[in-house]
Amino acid sequence: MARLIFLLLVCSTIALALLASTTSASIVEHTFNVGNLTVNKLCQNHVITAVNDSLPGPTIRVNEGDTLIVHVFNKSPYNLTIHWHGIFQLFSGWADGPEYATQCPIPPGNSYTYKFNITGQDGTLWWHAHSSYLRATVYGALVIHPRAGRKYPFPKPDKEVPILLGEWFNANVVEVEEESLVTGGAPNISDAYTINGRPGDLFPCSSKHTYNLKVDQGKTYLLRIINAALNNQFFFKVANHSLTVVAVDASYTDLYVTDVVVLGPGQTTDVLLKANQAIGNYYMAAHPYASAAGIQFVENATTGIIRYNSGGTANSSAAPIMPVLPAFNDTPTAHKFYTNLTGLKTGPFWVPVPRNVDEKMFITFGLGVSICGPNNATCPNSPFGPTLRFSASMNNHSFVLPTRMSLLEAFFSNVSGIYTEDFPDNPPFVFDYTNNNLSFALAFTEKSTRVKKVKFNSTVEMVFQNTALIGIENHPIHLHGFNFHILAQGFGNYNATRDEKTFNLDNPQERNTVSVPVGGWAVVRFRANNPGVWFMHCHLDVHMPWGLATAIVVENGPTPSTKLPPPPADFPRC
């Protein structure tokens, strides 16, 4: 009898837990009004495209398990889409958002409602425009808290603060991109960097608009750092303070204490900051990690100020202490940070590394050249002469997005002629990929819309190999719809016999964006358990329109519950 009562109590406890986990989920609803906003920065007025008249846009806060609904009203003069960077979009690929990959854009004067469930992840992600350079000003934080009954797997902070790193252009960013595509050269660089939309003390006319964070001595703050910049990777430091990394790309990590954080565009890093210094003012600062030789960038730092409260008021008189940031080209520091991160195996959503690999891909990528265009078109400002322009490629294929139908709609409706399923698993030929003296003839790329098709639930391993055809630099490669395990990273040419011995198959970090080392390689592995079309591209926006991208097509699964459902009735079509 006692045994029966015990079993009934256990079953009741499990039932109550399951009920709590389902009833704790909510519907979170937001409205995005996207339109023109006049702002004054660097002593000038500029009209930008912004969401709800703010830069950055609104922070979205949800709990894991919630359903997020966002009504987007496009009151801007440009086509646009919104991408929910890092959200898995399990069986909701229609809501992912990249222009012409998942959906056709929302035209000016039109609207679209994104709706999706957030399952199996919590931490810091973000949202941004996925159309042209609009991401420069159309972005914001997306914070996923643990669902009711769950706690952070690290010491609870006293306060949580989003820190968004960005870039500022004294120009219309859409015109900046369009001009570079017409002329064939690189686009103009940004004029400043920002923390939460503000350049900070070291830029003209910005001292009164520097971001300030007030702290109490002895308390702990969770900084949710997001690199929302278009084309810059960043070193980030806080003067006289150490930072404890607890998560990257909404995936928990083993605690890692550091004095510097490195983020590529698209990446997020959660750190604990203990306010354990003397009462005073301390700069938080970020400046570029510029791994490519000869590339122009603004050699300055964006700053915010951490102000310790003194007697209930923030001390505003003392001059802030400035951290010593790494040199702009300090690759050893960047590599140390990236390779010292490991995944938290006891975390709530930890996924063990798949051991059996079904698909192996070796993907070379980097800059190249292509002809300016049909009908003897010329590129007046191209560094390669009037008939050639900058291009970029993966396995020598420079990706061209379709315009008459999105890749996902073509996949769902089985429409031919939009893409081909013959993206190669290997480059067309083997060469010394990281040799700085390669023949210029190797730099010519082929324009195409080729994708890689894989079976549902297959395990895919990718080796990303940097090339030195036209310069080398650290590249952040982002895969939509999935996290991947980063098994290893290194410099030079990848050698399977040598480098497989270095794979971390026990507790590698999980990310959605990997920074492939300058002149080096990275190996990632993931399970393709989400049907649909998933864009994969470099998150340096200068390179994406040049073709440094492809897409992974994951076939439908064998049962109705493992197939991509139909699109919403109001789904944007071309």
Side-chain angles (χ1 to χ4, degrees):
M1 184 67 178
R3 178 183 174 86
L4 177 61
I5 293 173
F6 173 76
L7 290 174
L8 287 173
L9 287 172
V10 170
C11 292
S12 298
T13 302
I14 294 173
L16 289 172
L18 290 172
L19 180 63
S21 68
T22 55
T23 56
S24 64
S26 302
I27 294 177
V28 179
E29 201 161 357
H30 285 261
T31 296
F32 281 8
N33 290 301
V34 186
N36 289 344
L37 174 67
T38 301
V39 296
N40 185 283
K41 293 191 189 301
L42 308 187
C43 317
Q44 301 179 32
N45 284 330
H46 277 284
V47 176
I48 65 171
T49 303
V51 175
N52 296 355
D53 292 330
S54 64
L55 176 69
T59 294
I60 292 178
R61 297 182 183 275
V62 296
N63 292 332
E64 190 269 329
D66 287 351
T67 295
L68 179 61
I69 299 175
V70 182
H71 308 284
V72 178
F73 293 89
N74 185 8
K75 302 175 183 179
S76 82
Y78 308 110
N79 289 340
L80 71 89
T81 66
I82 302 294
H83 170 50
W84 315 95
H85 187 111
I87 295 292
F88 293 151
Q89 300 291 358
L90 290 168
F91 303 97
S92 59
W94 302 105
D96 192 42
E99 185 180 56
Y100 296 116
T102 295
Q103 67 172 89
C104 293
I106 307 168
N110 288 53
S111 64
Y112 180 58
T113 295
Y114 293 91
K115 180 179 179 180
F116 51 91
N117 185 259
I118 298 172
T119 303
Q121 54 188 154
D122 49 48
T124 304
L125 296 173
W126 62 302
W127 57 265
H128 61 81
H130 213 295
S131 305
S132 68
Y133 268 25
L134 289 176
R135 181 165 72 81
T137 54
V138 179
Y139 64 88
L142 201 171
V143 176
I144 309 169
H145 295 284
R147 68 170 66 208
R150 287 188 182 149
K151 298 179 180 179
Y152 292 130
F154 52 81
K156 183 180 178 181
D158 295 290
K159 186 177 180 179
E160 302 178 12
V161 184
I163 302 292
L164 291 95
L165 309 178
E167 289 182 83
W168 174 258
F169 290 77
N170 274 336
N172 181 307
V173 292
V174 173
E175 293 176 357
V176 168
E177 182 189 26
E178 289 176 346
E179 181 183 5
S180 72
L181 294 176
V182 169
T183 62
N188 292 335
I189 63 172
S190 58
D191 296 280
Y193 315 116
T194 59
I195 292 178
N196 289 347
R198 305 177 181 190
D201 287 355
L202 305 185
F203 286 97
C205 303
S206 300
S207 59
K208 293 183 179 179
H209 306 287
T210 299
Y211 173 73
N212 285 263
L213 173 61
K214 299 176 183 179
V215 302
D216 292 318
Q217 195 174 43
K219 291 188 175 181
T220 299
Y221 297 81
L222 177 62
L223 305 185
R224 299 180 177 273
I225 312 170
I226 300 167
N227 185 352
L230 283 181
N231 292 314
N232 278 286
Q233 308 190 58
F234 286 114
F235 290 116
F236 175 89
K237 294 185 74 171
V238 178
N240 291 11
H241 291 73
S242 63
L243 305 169
T244 302
V245 177
V246 296
V248 293
D249 291 3
S251 296
Y252 293 115
T253 65
D254 292 318
L255 301 185
Y256 175 58
V257 179
T258 178
D259 68 339
V260 61
V261 171
V262 191
L263 303 98
Q267 293 182 326
T268 71
T269 304
D270 292 354
V271 300
L272 296 176
L273 178 142
K274 183 81 170 179
N276 56 8
Q277 296 300 300
I279 290 176
N281 299 319
Y282 302 84
Y283 275 125
M284 63 173 78
H287 78 193
Y289 164 44
S291 60
I295 298 297
Q296 289 187 329
F297 60 93
V298 174
E299 297 185 15
N300 204 347
T302 179
T303 53
I305 303 175
I306 292 178
R307 298 188 184 276
Y308 275 67
N309 287 317
S310 175
T313 60
N315 180 358
S316 59
S317 59
I321 299 171
M322 185 70 181
V324 178
L325 289 162
F328 296 112
N329 62 348
D330 189 348
T331 289
T333 292
H335 190 65
K336 177 184 176 182
F337 176 82
Y338 283 128
T339 55
N340 276 1
L341 299 173
T342 52
L344 182 64
K345 293 171 62 176
T346 58
F349 305 115
W350 168 255
V351 176
V353 180
R355 297 304 179 100
N356 297 318
V357 177
D358 302 299
E359 298 274 359
K360 283 195 172 186
M361 303 178 69
F362 186 90
I363 302 174
T364 58
F365 66 89
L367 297 184
V369 295
S370 61
I371 61 171
C372 283
N375 304 318
N376 297 319
T378 59
C379 302
N381 290 341
S382 170
F384 311 108
T387 62
L388 298 177
R389 66 182 312 130
F390 267 118
S391 186
S393 68
M394 290 184 169
N395 280 352
N396 207 47
H397 290 282
S398 187
F399 195 77
V400 179
L401 282 165
T403 56
R404 65 184 179 92
M405 179 181 288
S406 71
L407 299 171
L408 184 61
E409 188 177 358
F411 162 77
F412 181 82
S413 302
N414 197 27
V415 176
S416 61
I418 304 299
Y419 62 82
T420 60
E421 296 174 350
D422 56 350
F423 181 83
D425 289 342
N426 296 282
F429 39 83
V430 176
F431 58 96
D432 186 1
Y433 306 114
T434 55
N435 187 333
N436 289 317
N437 298 310
L438 293 170
S439 168
F440 186 72
L442 293 171
F444 283 84
T445 62
E446 176 188 338
K447 296 290 184 180
S448 62
T449 308
R450 302 190 183 201
V451 305
K452 169 66 177 178
K453 187 175 182 179
V454 300
K455 293 186 179 300
F456 178 80
N457 220 30
S458 61
T459 296
V460 183
E461 181 179 291
M462 297 177 177
V463 177
F464 294 115
Q465 174 67 62
N466 219 321
T467 63
L469 293 170
I470 299 178
I472 53 174
E473 63 182 308
N474 187 298
H475 284 81
I477 304 296
H478 172 48
L479 175 61
H480 292 224
F482 300 94
N483 279 351
F484 40 61
H485 293 99
I486 302 177
L487 304 185
Q489 303 171 72
F491 296 99
N493 296 330
Y494 175 77
N495 181 297
T497 303
R498 176 194 65 206
D499 296 323
E500 283 184 1
K501 298 174 183 177
T502 69
F503 283 9
N504 180 356
L505 299 175
D506 178 45
N507 64 340
Q509 58 183 291
E510 291 183 88
R511 304 202 76 141
N512 61 61
T513 305
V514 57
S515 285
V516 183
V518 54
W521 51 269
V523 182
V524 305
R525 190 181 293 179
F526 68 98
R527 189 176 300 282
N529 58 2
N530 195 6
V533 179
W534 304 103
F535 203 35
M536 185 173 73
H537 60 96
C538 179
H539 222 275
L540 295 170
D541 269 27
V542 64
H543 295 155
M544 195 168 70
W546 290 350
L548 212 165
T550 186
I552 307 298
V553 175
V554 180
E555 294 179 344
N556 280 308
T559 64
S561 63
T562 57
K563 298 180 187 297
L564 179 70
D570 61 342
F571 183 70
R573 290 176 166 83
C574 297

